[in-house]
Amino acid sequence: MEYLDAKEKFISTWGSLGSLWGINKAMAQIQALLFISTKPLSMEDIMEDLKISRGNTSMNLRQLMDWGIVTKVLVSGERKEFFTTEKDVQELAKIVAKERSRREIKPVIKVLEEVSTIKDDGTEKTKELIKQTKALKAITNDLDTLMNKLVDQKQNWLTKSVFKLMK
Amino acid sequence: MEYLDAKEKFISTWGSLGSLWGINKAMAQIQALLFISTKPLSMEDIMEDLKISRGNTSMNLRQLMDWGIVTKVLVSGERKEFFTTEKDVQELAKIVAKERSRREIKPVIKVLEEVSTIKDDGTEKTKELIKQTKALKAITNDLDTLMNKLVDQKQNWLTKSVFKLMK
DNA sequence: TTAAACTTTCAATAATTATTGAAAGTTTAT
DNA sequence: ATAAACTTTCAATAATTATTGAAAGTTTAA
């Protein structure tokens, strides 16, 4: 496989995986492109490479910056803006986990909390609702906590030993 | 909050969270409804409660069965089919993690593997592509493995002690 | 067997989500 | 101040995804 094929395959695969980490296709593809680029890219570069419009590029770059995944860099002697992405996968995973937790999981936990604390009127269906939403809340919480700690502390002694034990 | 409000809130929240675990809204809502129901429900029951069409109900129930989350149950004296979902959140999480891994993560790892093993032609951009896709493959692999083991073995001594240490 | 009860399929349609492109906005150099 | 270089915004449009409903298919009871 040649470089160009490999690059295209990587970008389109990563793009379609976007849904897994909660972002849209263009966003994921821009990030992928920056991720394998050896230098910062301008909006022109990105539009041209991915064949997407200026507006689309602008909006998705903004979102990537909101996530904290992409940053503007100043290239001396250049008027236009250049962009680069976090290159360390560890850091990337950490940011993604934190943002998804904040944007999606935490709000759900809040609703489960509300629902699971309704007044028990003694009926079977109310008891079941309370019981099941409590259980769901507990596991959602646990997995959320664990995921965050793991990506956060992947380097440290604890996780290293966990990994070893799990092999 | 009354039972009906709580129920509605739970179903719609869980439904919109569907994207997080990779299924569509109707699918998630049907699962949510079954999850808090005290007895198996028929297709009629589900259509009526969620106000969705027969076709939609049929297709999404089928998908839930493909995932292994929902099963048909025979209710004696009844001609129509009844459905129920896995009620144990632990088991549920286990199934979801396994299925997502199989359907989405494993195929991506395969592509990353392919891309990261292209011939190194010595150019900087090829080196970068190889390096970054390798890194991405490694972390995707690790998190996939870890997630599966965790939900699989949540009960056991290892995870219990990890949780304790992380508190 | 047959007809009623029930489920599945799938083409048509609706709803949602992503994308475009051009006008408006901003910044910078002179 | 102004005009060129660049970015953002957003209404219109396209693409994608979900949903419907009715016809076709299946099962069961008599």
Side-chain angles (χ1 to χ4, degrees), chain B residues 48-102:
Chain B
E48 208 170 291
D49 201 310
L50 301 179
K51 279 145 188 64
I52 57 178
S53 73
R54 186 175 298 283
N56 201 3
T57 307
S58 170
M59 286 173 117
N60 285 107
L61 275 171
R62 141 94 80 146
Q63 281 207 76
L64 284 164
M65 287 189 285
D66 287 348
W67 273 70
I69 291 171
V70 162
T71 45
K72 279 186 189 167
V73 293
L74 290 173
V75 173
S76 57
E78 285 277 9
R79 177 124 165 222
K80 57 185 151 205
E81 297 173 321
F82 285 77
F83 301 88
T84 193
T85 190
E86 172 60 55
K87 289 278 188 160
D88 178 346
V89 287
Q90 218 79 306
E91 274 305 308
L92 204 54
K94 191 167 149 179
I95 294 170
V96 171
K98 284 229 156 69
E99 284 293 301
R100 285 216 89 177
S101 172
R102 188 176 66 77

Side-chain angles (χ1 to χ4, degrees), chain A residues 1-3 6-7 9-10 13-14 17 19-20 35-38 86-90 92-93 100 104-105 107-108 111-112 114-115 118-119 121 124-126 128-129 132-133 135-136 139-140 142-143 146-147 149-151 153-154 157-159 162-163 165-167, chain B residues 1-3 6-7 9-10 13-14 17 19-20 35-38 86-90 92-93 100 104-105 107-108 111-112 114-115 118-119 121 124-126 128-129 132-133 135-136 139-140 142-143 146-147 149-151 153-154 157-159 162-163 165-167:
Chain A
M1 188 160 43
E2 290 306 312
Y3 174 77
K7 176 184 170 187
K9 194 161 190 174
F10 170 65
T13 304
W14 203 244
L17 191 68
S19 67
L20 196 78
F35 190 68
I36 58 168
S37 170
T38 54
E86 172 60 53
K87 290 276 188 159
D88 178 348
V89 288
Q90 219 80 300
L92 203 57
R100 285 218 91 175
E104 300 179 82
I105 303 175
V108 168
V111 171
L112 292 175
E114 281 171 44
V115 171
I118 63 169
K119 197 170 113 281
D121 63 10
E124 196 191 353
K125 60 187 189 179
T126 301
E128 183 74 3
L129 178 63
Q132 294 295 68
T133 50
L136 223 37
I139 197 168
T140 306
D142 280 359
L143 289 174
L146 199 52
M147 184 54 91
K149 300 248 164 156
L150 279 177
V151 295
Q153 309 181 338
K154 181 122 188 300
W157 67 268
L158 172 61
T159 318
V162 172
F163 262 98
L165 285 163
M166 281 188 164
K167 275 289 153 58
Chain B
M1 188 160 42
E2 290 306 311
Y3 173 78
K7 175 183 170 187
K9 193 161 192 176
F10 170 66
T13 302
W14 204 242
L17 191 69
S19 66
L20 196 79
F35 190 68
I36 58 169
S37 170
T38 54
E86 172 60 55
K87 289 278 188 160
D88 178 346
V89 287
Q90 218 79 306
L92 204 54
R100 285 216 89 177
E104 299 180 80
I105 302 174
V108 168
V111 172
L112 292 175
E114 281 171 43
V115 171
I118 61 168
K119 196 170 110 282
D121 62 10
E124 197 191 353
K125 60 186 190 179
T126 301
E128 183 74 2
L129 179 62
Q132 293 296 67
T133 50
L136 222 36
I139 197 168
T140 307
D142 279 0
L143 289 175
L146 200 51
M147 184 53 93
K149 299 246 163 149
L150 277 177
V151 296
Q153 308 178 343
K154 180 119 190 300
W157 65 270
L158 173 62
T159 317
V162 173
F163 261 99
L165 285 164
M166 283 191 161
K167 274 289 152 56

Side-chain angles (χ1 to χ4, degrees), chain A residues 80-106:
Chain A
K80 54 187 155 204
E81 297 173 321
F82 286 77
F83 301 89
T84 194
T85 190
E86 172 60 53
K87 290 276 188 159
D88 178 348
V89 288
Q90 219 80 300
E91 273 306 307
L92 203 57
K94 193 167 147 180
I95 293 170
V96 171
K98 283 230 155 67
E99 283 294 301
R100 285 218 91 175
S101 171
R102 188 177 67 77
R103 293 170 193 241
E104 300 179 82
I105 303 175
K106 292 275 157 57

